[in-house]
Amino acid sequence: MTEVRTLHPTTDQYAFAFGGREPLLTVAPGTIVELSTEDCFAGKVRSVDDLPSVVCEFPFLNPVTGPIAVEGAEVGDTLTVHFVEITPARDWAASSTFPHFGALTTTHATAMLHEALEERVWIYELDVAAGVCRFQARRTDFSVELPLDPMHGTVGVAPAAGEVLMSITPAAHGGNMDTPEMRAGVTAYFPVNVPGGMLSLGDGHARQGEGEVCGTAVEAAMRTVVVVDLVKGGAPVSPRIESDGFLMTTGSARPLEDAYRMSQHDLVGWTGSLLGLEQLDAYQLVSQAGLAPAGNVVDTNYTMVAKLPKTLLGATTAYDGLHDRLRAVGADYLRTR
Amino acid sequence: MTEVRTLHPTTDQYAFAFGGREPLLTVAPGTIVELSTEDCFAGKVRSVDDLPSVVCEFPFLNPVTGPIAVEGAEVGDTLTVHFVEITPARDWAASSTFPHFGALTTTHATAMLHEALEERVWIYELDVAAGVCRFQARRTDFSVELPLDPMHGTVGVAPAAGEVLMSITPAAHGGNMDTPEMRAGVTAYFPVNVPGGMLSLGDGHARQGEGEVCGTAVEAAMRTVVVVDLVKGGAPVSPRIESDGFLMTTGSARPLEDAYRMSQHDLVGWTGSLLGLEQLDAYQLVSQAGLAPAGNVVDTNYTMVAKLPKTLLGATTAYDGLHDRLRAVGADYLRTR
Amino acid sequence: MTEVRTLHPTTDQYAFAFGGREPLLTVAPGTIVELSTEDCFAGKVRSVDDLPSVVCEFPFLNPVTGPIAVEGAEVGDTLTVHFVEITPARDWAASSTFPHFGALTTTHATAMLHEALEERVWIYELDVAAGVCRFQARRTDFSVELPLDPMHGTVGVAPAAGEVLMSITPAAHGGNMDTPEMRAGVTAYFPVNVPGGMLSLGDGHARQGEGEVCGTAVEAAMRTVVVVDLVKGGAPVSPRIESDGFLMTTGSARPLEDAYRMSQHDLVGWTGSLLGLEQLDAYQLVSQAGLAPAGNVVDTNYTMVAKLPKTLLGATTAYDGLHDRLRAVGADYLRTR
Amino acid sequence: MTEVRTLHPTTDQYAFAFGGREPLLTVAPGTIVELSTEDCFAGKVRSVDDLPSVVCEFPFLNPVTGPIAVEGAEVGDTLTVHFVEITPARDWAASSTFPHFGALTTTHATAMLHEALEERVWIYELDVAAGVCRFQARRTDFSVELPLDPMHGTVGVAPAAGEVLMSITPAAHGGNMDTPEMRAGVTAYFPVNVPGGMLSLGDGHARQGEGEVCGTAVEAAMRTVVVVDLVKGGAPVSPRIESDGFLMTTGSARPLEDAYRMSQHDLVGWTGSLLGLEQLDAYQLVSQAGLAPAGNVVDTNYTMVAKLPKTLLGATTAYDGLHDRLRAVGADYLRTR
């Protein structure tokens, strides 16, 4: 019987960084964890009048739940997280522009002489039962329903080399990759850089466009269920994701072509390894069969995702079929709770 | 009755640039054109022993068919191309690595001290009836079928300012954008920069991964049918594409985040214009609902695509419903030929 | 006795592109050419009230003088230009911001949602005898003298592959590199891509900061004297420059690190070739001894310059001492005219 | 009389990160500190046979001396370091290529399919009295003297937001900017992000080319004397440097044009503030008078420097003449020790 643990941080237990923290919870590999996460505004943006730059205080942005230590996780291992369920915790979510943040505005790094764009908040009504959220324009009456597609923008482990990185940064340890692929039903693989690995997650999105162009998604507190597991050895260079249909690799860097290169480089290597292909043969296969959606183009590093359909794998499975086994564990949990 | 014209260039009629050429064909708006295109190797790579750097001669790479002048097209108008059908002309296609070309290798621009990667050719068997092509590894016995998804890597018009650009360059005039979205069933919109617009196309791909990471796709000569049409005024900044399901914009630039910015900027503007949204409201909607796949990350400019589901538009149509009308023209053609 | 020719284009003889033109002048190698160039505004910005976007007409920006064909220049040769003298033709020069142009503003490529920065013109008084130009602030009384350091922003030849490129684009053919290193006393080396090479130049700057951050320099019409010469073979990948003190290579690309890579790659190769160094030894020497100033970070490609002090060369000379010989020819001309 | 303190860390006292450490020394503002730093290889590369990847252990690279806490330094203040003297501690220094590091090689971020370049070490003889170091090629007999120009590649303070960053990363807190401008005689200004500021420095270079293209400079242990001071308030966005001749700003980011933008943006603001110029007037002045050399184009962030000649300032001084006062303190120290 799979062990089930819970992790519901109090307000002062949220972390705002990866690395440098004692675990809030320690679990054995294979444990199911029911947990809650706050939104990226730490829950302080509750109406269109709550401007983030007023109600939020730097650096207390993008709270994450964790860290969760995994028993037996050693440097070089692969910490595995299977997302069983990601459910919005409230019937609303918030989004906003934010001064000097986003892809189509002057920022600290892409520094320009323009005044910041207007800061503006949008509140979305969520209807979990119907599976939709509602966008309401602020300057006109236009309104439209969008499909719910809940996911976590921020999932990661403690970085290598003793670094402590703000939770808004995506890098080799994961972090704020902001890819809509991190949804329920997928399994994510992270390198273990410190004993226990130290998994944290947060930044739930009721849905998100690829690239997250304005800098924020439909930001929502979440009730999330994961299976936390461990593969001995095999630490990936950057986080990998597996869904029922796809193998996925990620790269987080600037410029965006370097993020693309990192993700494709790892997918070529992974594909070659699984199929016994020589490197250039794997390069060729990925070139013709791969997908390459943007994750985010707004954070301190940009993230690209590389995807390969698992139909190409035939009977071959990644990580010895771990995704399917965790999928079954999740299904069993949902059926029996 | 829609007029049908044909354009089958002789070997010495192919062009290798956009701009600076007299039209091979002049048509009235609304004309159907049946045409043929050669592959990016000018048909000279026919076996795994035909190394492109040996059998091809710079700059006679990436031949395009055209230009096709459109009667009445004036600077500032929108030249429209609807793809009715794109069919491989042979039962094989070729791909290759090419020295100093591709995303994961030293190139002329990303100049490094490494020796070039090995140049290698792959020949794909195409089965148009079955809708598949077959990848055969060169160093092992691995082989796998991939779905056919024929498209044109290179479609564009004469550039502005009297420029003549090699056909391998994607930019504001279109050109070698290398996005798999340029498949049968879509309508593409280009700015008219010179009288007649001067449409050319080529570089057929039996299929292509997003990003075209090794630098070449499954390169195939094509038999293609298009409807060429004209919208007075309204020239887009960069090419746009419309499918049954999506509005799409493109950006071609370096670094890749600038290509992303261009594509998203135009999608925000287009969305705002169609739905009567104030700019930041459109920015917000695109942020949550848009997709952002890579086109190419290997050419002289990189290309990103921004996509918005047309379900968000309600009854609103782009270009006054032109895509649907051209779709119907194409369907009629296919039914009655 | 060195032949002296003159080239003073009429208004309608200026070109606005590299490539695709018949020569205005054909000279034998070693010829001195006295020529005149207009400023980048085509002389139309003459007071602070002449806004470029009003008085100039796209694409009639950045006029160049030429092309000058060199007898005997064949593809693969090296066209050589020694700058004997660059003198402002008027006692004033102009600079400006320009909407959607410059490094610290939204542009077509770095597309953002901001309104364009204010368009503003500055007129500089030039005192050639005193060797200074005067900056006068527009919004306050502040005024300061800056040293004159006349140079040409745009120097190049016809591009390869039959391309015709706007004169504002820097690339492998040279063009609008906008580096202050292109001053009197230097020799520049260009690849010959078409018979005759087809040298053109313009875009004189009374002085320019590195990077040309606002997008324009102190723009001045010039009276310029050059020696045009030819080296058989040895075409460089990108333009090179030699001064009395430095070997210089250039790279023009985006992102800026690719321009840096191109320039450094060529300097490593050139250094290794001149000193008989194995590649990594040359890489090491350039790493410790080289300089790397920005040329421009505003044009359609960015330009970086790599510089190596000639003191490291000992008795070795580049191009068999051509720079010194042309220097002597120039000195003789100045002494005897 | 200026207080003089010493800081000579034992081997196990070196730090390898900025942030998260207790001070090794606490000083009052205005204190002179005599200190020693190890080289970036932690002193373990002592001959051409000591390959860094063998003798060094990640992450114990690039040791820094510190942190030094400054009494009274509060968040938002400006920590000031004046470099009185930087002297190589040994009569040799080392440089190397390093696998997957450098500008002209595949790296973790610019990920390619090439094998790593050869790892090779160069040992330089230093003659401090003569002011030269000697480069000796490894594959040929070529040898040449280069001028000594000692500097610190790594100088910085604890980052904001509780971050702990590896010492090889340059960012807003300073760190591994690797600019040759950080030489004796300059004053550097850093933002105080935590109480005490927490200054650390290391990575001495006997000299360095701009960009540090191969990834390492002429790496040397140093004996260094600094004056550590404090300006209340006025924390710069990124480190600034002042020499007798120039105001300098820095930007550390990727891509390189963003580093350029950051440095130029701050120089425009600083110039405007000092001279009472409206923003666009300052933009114009910097555009014509500024210099823009590369710092590094190899580290986890790239660094650009923007420089303005102080001759433009007239009687105006930065930070109320602090640089001149610290220069006098340094001169007095050197005269009287």
Side-chain angles (χ1 to χ4, degrees):
Chain A
M1 187 58 195
T2 307
E3 188 182 15
V4 179
R5 304 285 298 278
T6 60
L7 179 57
H8 301 292
T10 58
T11 299
D12 60 356
Q13 283 182 320
Y14 284 108
F16 298 89
F18 286 87
R21 309 284 164 133
E22 293 302 307
L24 286 188
L25 179 69
T26 299
V27 301
T31 301
I32 289 174
V33 183
E34 301 170 340
L35 56 87
S36 50
T37 63
E38 243 314 340
D39 67 31
C40 74
F41 304 115
K44 296 184 175 175
V45 174
R46 305 182 75 85
S47 84
V48 297
D49 298 321
D50 293 330
L51 296 186
S53 69
V54 174
V55 300
C56 298
E57 180 189 5
F58 177 85
F60 304 110
L61 290 165
N62 207 35
V64 286
T65 295
I68 302 170
V70 181
E71 293 170 3
E74 298 171 299
V75 175
D77 289 346
T78 304
L79 191 154
T80 305
V81 190
H82 178 73
F83 288 86
V84 178
E85 194 178 52
I86 305 174
T87 307
R90 298 188 278 250
D91 62 358
W92 58 270
S95 190
S96 79
T97 50
F98 192 87
H100 302 279
F101 196 66
L104 302 186
T105 173
T106 173
T107 66
H108 175 61
T110 308
M112 298 188 165
L113 298 178
H114 301 281
E115 295 294 309
L117 295 178
E118 179 195 331
E119 187 174 5
R120 190 185 296 176
V121 170
W122 292 261
I123 299 293
Y124 287 74
E125 297 168 17
L126 309 187
D127 185 337
V128 172
V132 296
C133 60
R134 174 163 290 281
F135 166 76
Q136 171 61 55
R138 290 290 312 280
R139 293 286 177 269
T140 58
D141 288 339
F142 181 83
S143 177
V144 69
E145 280 186 350
L146 304 174
L148 277 185
D149 186 10
M151 44 151 288
H152 281 284
T154 307
V155 189
V157 295
E163 286 201 310
V164 176
L165 298 176
M166 285 190 296
S167 61
I168 63 165
T169 294
H173 72 293
N176 195 28
M177 297 182 287
D178 281 325
T179 165
E181 305 291 353
M182 200 68 86
R183 57 171 65 88
V186 307
T187 304
Y189 306 93
F190 298 89
V192 173
N193 301 304
V194 303
M198 300 295 172
L199 172 72
S200 299
L201 72 167
D203 191 26
H205 297 163
R207 65 168 292 113
Q208 179 205 312
E210 290 172 351
E212 206 184 11
V213 61
C214 83
T216 56
V218 184
E219 308 287 343
M222 292 290 176
R223 303 298 295 243
T224 293
V225 180
V226 294
V227 190
V228 180
D229 208 343
L230 182 68
V231 176
K232 293 305 289 182
V237 171
S238 292
R240 292 172 172 179
I241 306 172
E242 184 176 355
S243 67
D244 292 353
F246 290 92
L247 299 182
M248 294 179 251
T249 52
T250 64
S252 295
R254 292 188 175 202
L256 191 59
E257 56 260 43
D258 274 0
Y260 173 82
R261 286 179 178 120
M262 291 169 76
S263 63
Q264 296 283 325
H265 187 276
D266 191 36
L267 188 58
V268 168
W270 196 9
T271 301
S273 168
L274 288 172
L275 296 178
L277 292 174
E278 184 270 354
Q279 189 184 58
L280 291 188
D281 280 341
Y283 189 32
Q284 171 65 210
L285 182 57
V286 167
S287 295
Q288 310 316 341
L291 301 178
N296 90 79
V297 194
V298 294
D299 294 323
T300 48
N301 284 316
Y302 303 141
T303 300
M304 289 292 290
V305 176
K307 303 174 64 169
L308 193 80
K310 288 165 71 173
T311 50
L312 303 191
L313 298 183
T316 303
T317 59
Y319 296 105
D320 200 24
L322 180 57
H323 171 73
D324 289 343
R325 292 198 302 279
L326 295 176
R327 199 84 165 103
V329 170
D332 193 53
Y333 164 86
L334 291 173
R335 197 166 44 238
T336 61
R337 69 170 165 188
Chain B
M1 187 56 194
T2 308
E3 187 181 15
V4 179
R5 304 286 298 275
T6 60
L7 180 57
H8 300 293
T10 58
T11 299
D12 60 354
Q13 281 182 320
Y14 284 106
F16 298 88
F18 286 89
R21 309 284 164 135
E22 293 301 307
L24 286 188
L25 180 69
T26 300
V27 301
T31 301
I32 290 174
V33 183
E34 301 170 340
L35 56 87
S36 49
T37 62
E38 242 316 339
D39 67 31
C40 74
F41 303 115
K44 295 185 177 174
V45 175
R46 305 181 75 86
S47 84
V48 296
D49 298 322
D50 294 329
L51 296 186
S53 69
V54 174
V55 301
C56 298
E57 182 189 4
F58 176 84
F60 304 110
L61 290 166
N62 207 34
V64 287
T65 295
I68 301 170
V70 180
E71 292 170 4
E74 297 172 298
V75 175
D77 289 346
T78 304
L79 191 153
T80 305
V81 189
H82 177 73
F83 287 86
V84 178
E85 193 178 52
I86 305 175
T87 307
R90 298 189 277 249
D91 61 359
W92 58 271
S95 190
S96 80
T97 50
F98 193 88
H100 302 280
F101 196 65
L104 301 186
T105 173
T106 172
T107 66
H108 175 61
T110 309
M112 299 190 164
L113 298 179
H114 301 281
E115 294 293 308
L117 294 178
E118 180 196 329
E119 187 174 5
R120 191 185 294 176
V121 170
W122 291 261
I123 299 293
Y124 287 75
E125 296 168 19
L126 309 187
D127 184 337
V128 172
V132 295
C133 58
R134 175 163 290 278
F135 167 74
Q136 171 61 56
R138 289 292 310 281
R139 293 286 177 269
T140 58
D141 287 340
F142 181 82
S143 177
V144 70
E145 280 187 350
L146 303 174
L148 278 185
D149 186 11
M151 44 150 291
H152 280 283
T154 308
V155 190
V157 295
E163 286 201 311
V164 176
L165 298 176
M166 285 191 295
S167 61
I168 62 166
T169 295
H173 71 293
N176 195 28
M177 296 182 287
D178 280 325
T179 166
E181 304 291 354
M182 199 69 85
R183 60 171 60 90
V186 308
T187 305
Y189 306 93
F190 298 88
V192 173
N193 301 304
V194 303
M198 302 294 172
L199 172 73
S200 299
L201 72 165
D203 191 25
H205 298 163
R207 65 169 290 113
Q208 180 204 312
E210 290 171 352
E212 204 185 12
V213 61
C214 83
T216 55
V218 183
E219 307 287 342
M222 292 290 178
R223 303 298 296 243
T224 293
V225 179
V226 296
V227 189
V228 180
D229 208 344
L230 183 69
V231 174
K232 293 306 288 183
V237 171
S238 293
R240 293 172 171 177
I241 305 172
E242 184 175 356
S243 68
D244 292 352
F246 291 92
L247 299 183
M248 294 178 253
T249 52
T250 64
S252 294
R254 290 187 177 202
L256 191 59
E257 56 261 42
D258 274 1
Y260 173 82
R261 285 178 177 121
M262 290 168 77
S263 63
Q264 296 284 323
H265 187 275
D266 191 37
L267 188 59
V268 168
W270 196 9
T271 301
S273 167
L274 288 172
L275 295 178
L277 291 173
E278 184 269 354
Q279 188 183 57
L280 290 189
D281 280 340
Y283 189 32
Q284 171 64 210
L285 182 57
V286 168
S287 295
Q288 310 316 341
L291 301 177
N296 90 81
V297 194
V298 294
D299 294 323
T300 48
N301 284 316
Y302 303 141
T303 300
M304 289 292 289
V305 176
K307 301 174 66 170
L308 193 80
K310 288 164 71 173
T311 50
L312 302 191
L313 298 183
T316 302
T317 59
Y319 296 104
D320 200 22
L322 179 59
H323 170 74
D324 289 344
R325 292 198 301 279
L326 295 176
R327 200 83 165 104
V329 169
D332 193 54
Y333 164 87
L334 291 174
R335 197 164 47 239
T336 61
R337 72 171 161 183
Chain C
M1 188 56 194
T2 308
E3 189 182 15
V4 179
R5 304 286 298 276
T6 60
L7 180 56
H8 300 292
T10 57
T11 299
D12 59 354
Q13 283 182 318
Y14 284 107
F16 298 89
F18 286 88
R21 307 286 163 133
E22 292 301 306
L24 285 188
L25 180 69
T26 298
V27 300
T31 301
I32 289 174
V33 182
E34 300 171 341
L35 57 86
S36 49
T37 63
E38 240 317 340
D39 66 30
C40 75
F41 303 115
K44 295 184 177 175
V45 174
R46 308 181 72 88
S47 84
V48 297
D49 298 324
D50 294 330
L51 296 186
S53 69
V54 175
V55 300
C56 298
E57 180 190 6
F58 177 82
F60 304 111
L61 290 165
N62 207 35
V64 287
T65 296
I68 301 171
V70 181
E71 294 170 3
E74 298 171 298
V75 175
D77 290 345
T78 304
L79 191 154
T80 306
V81 190
H82 177 72
F83 287 86
V84 178
E85 196 178 52
I86 306 174
T87 307
R90 299 189 276 249
D91 62 359
W92 59 270
S95 191
S96 79
T97 50
F98 193 88
H100 302 281
F101 196 66
L104 303 185
T105 174
T106 172
T107 66
H108 174 60
T110 309
M112 298 187 165
L113 298 179
H114 301 282
E115 294 294 308
L117 294 178
E118 179 196 330
E119 188 175 4
R120 191 186 294 177
V121 170
W122 292 262
I123 300 294
Y124 288 74
E125 297 168 18
L126 309 188
D127 184 337
V128 173
V132 295
C133 61
R134 176 163 290 281
F135 167 74
Q136 172 60 57
R138 291 291 311 280
R139 292 287 177 267
T140 59
D141 287 338
F142 179 83
S143 176
V144 70
E145 280 185 350
L146 302 174
L148 278 185
D149 185 11
M151 45 149 290
H152 280 283
T154 308
V155 190
V157 294
E163 286 200 312
V164 176
L165 298 176
M166 285 192 295
S167 62
I168 62 164
T169 294
H173 72 293
N176 195 29
M177 297 182 287
D178 281 324
T179 166
E181 304 291 353
M182 199 68 85
R183 58 171 64 87
V186 309
T187 305
Y189 306 93
F190 298 89
V192 173
N193 301 305
V194 302
M198 301 293 171
L199 172 73
S200 299
L201 72 168
D203 191 26
H205 298 163
R207 69 167 289 112
Q208 179 205 312
E210 290 171 351
E212 204 184 14
V213 61
C214 84
T216 55
V218 183
E219 308 288 341
M222 292 291 177
R223 303 299 293 244
T224 293
V225 180
V226 295
V227 191
V228 179
D229 208 345
L230 183 69
V231 175
K232 292 305 288 182
V237 171
S238 291
R240 293 172 169 177
I241 306 172
E242 185 176 357
S243 68
D244 291 353
F246 290 91
L247 299 183
M248 293 179 253
T249 51
T250 65
S252 294
R254 291 187 176 203
L256 190 59
E257 57 260 43
D258 273 0
Y260 173 83
R261 286 179 177 121
M262 291 169 76
S263 63
Q264 297 284 324
H265 187 274
D266 191 36
L267 188 58
V268 168
W270 196 8
T271 301
S273 168
L274 288 172
L275 295 177
L277 292 173
E278 183 270 353
Q279 188 183 58
L280 290 188
D281 281 341
Y283 189 32
Q284 170 65 209
L285 182 57
V286 167
S287 295
Q288 310 315 340
L291 301 177
N296 90 79
V297 195
V298 294
D299 294 322
T300 47
N301 284 315
Y302 303 141
T303 301
M304 288 293 289
V305 176
K307 301 173 67 171
L308 193 81
K310 288 164 71 173
T311 50
L312 302 191
L313 298 183
T316 303
T317 58
Y319 296 104
D320 200 23
L322 179 58
H323 172 73
D324 289 343
R325 292 198 302 279
L326 295 177
R327 200 83 164 103
V329 169
D332 193 54
Y333 164 86
L334 291 174
R335 196 164 47 240
T336 61
R337 71 171 161 184
Chain D
M1 187 58 194
T2 308
E3 189 181 15
V4 180
R5 303 286 298 277
T6 60
L7 180 56
H8 301 294
T10 58
T11 299
D12 61 354
Q13 282 183 320
Y14 284 107
F16 298 89
F18 286 88
R21 308 284 163 133
E22 292 302 305
L24 286 189
L25 180 70
T26 299
V27 301
T31 301
I32 289 173
V33 183
E34 301 169 342
L35 56 87
S36 48
T37 63
E38 241 319 338
D39 67 31
C40 75
F41 303 114
K44 295 184 177 173
V45 175
R46 305 181 75 87
S47 84
V48 296
D49 297 323
D50 294 330
L51 296 186
S53 69
V54 174
V55 301
C56 299
E57 183 189 3
F58 177 82
F60 304 109
L61 289 165
N62 208 33
V64 288
T65 295
I68 301 170
V70 181
E71 293 171 3
E74 298 172 299
V75 175
D77 290 345
T78 305
L79 191 153
T80 306
V81 190
H82 178 73
F83 287 87
V84 178
E85 195 177 53
I86 304 174
T87 307
R90 298 188 278 249
D91 61 359
W92 59 270
S95 191
S96 80
T97 49
F98 193 88
H100 301 281
F101 196 66
L104 302 186
T105 174
T106 171
T107 66
H108 175 61
T110 309
M112 298 187 166
L113 298 179
H114 302 281
E115 294 294 307
L117 295 178
E118 180 196 329
E119 187 174 6
R120 191 185 295 177
V121 171
W122 291 262
I123 299 294
Y124 288 73
E125 297 168 18
L126 308 187
D127 184 337
V128 172
V132 295
C133 60
R134 176 164 289 280
F135 166 75
Q136 172 61 55
R138 289 292 311 280
R139 293 286 178 268
T140 59
D141 288 338
F142 181 83
S143 176
V144 70
E145 280 186 349
L146 304 173
L148 278 185
D149 186 11
M151 46 151 287
H152 280 284
T154 308
V155 190
V157 295
E163 285 200 310
V164 176
L165 298 176
M166 286 190 296
S167 62
I168 62 166
T169 294
H173 72 293
N176 195 29
M177 296 181 287
D178 280 326
T179 166
E181 305 290 354
M182 200 67 86
R183 57 170 65 89
V186 309
T187 305
Y189 306 93
F190 298 89
V192 173
N193 301 306
V194 303
M198 301 295 171
L199 172 72
S200 299
L201 72 167
D203 191 26
H205 297 163
R207 68 168 290 113
Q208 180 205 311
E210 289 171 354
E212 203 184 14
V213 60
C214 84
T216 56
V218 184
E219 307 288 341
M222 292 289 178
R223 303 298 295 243
T224 293
V225 180
V226 296
V227 191
V228 179
D229 209 345
L230 183 68
V231 175
K232 293 304 291 181
V237 171
S238 293
R240 292 171 172 180
I241 306 173
E242 184 176 356
S243 68
D244 293 353
F246 290 91
L247 299 182
M248 292 179 254
T249 51
T250 64
S252 294
R254 289 188 177 203
L256 190 58
E257 56 260 41
D258 274 0
Y260 172 83
R261 286 180 178 119
M262 290 169 77
S263 63
Q264 297 283 325
H265 188 275
D266 190 37
L267 188 58
V268 168
W270 197 8
T271 301
S273 168
L274 288 172
L275 295 178
L277 292 174
E278 183 269 354
Q279 187 184 57
L280 290 189
D281 280 341
Y283 189 32
Q284 171 64 207
L285 181 57
V286 167
S287 294
Q288 310 316 340
L291 300 178
N296 90 79
V297 194
V298 294
D299 294 322
T300 47
N301 283 318
Y302 304 140
T303 299
M304 288 293 291
V305 176
K307 303 174 65 170
L308 194 80
K310 288 165 69 174
T311 49
L312 301 192
L313 297 183
T316 302
T317 60
Y319 295 104
D320 200 22
L322 179 59
H323 171 74
D324 289 343
R325 292 199 302 280
L326 295 177
R327 199 86 165 101
V329 169
D332 193 51
Y333 164 86
L334 291 174
R335 197 165 46 240
T336 61
R337 70 169 162 186

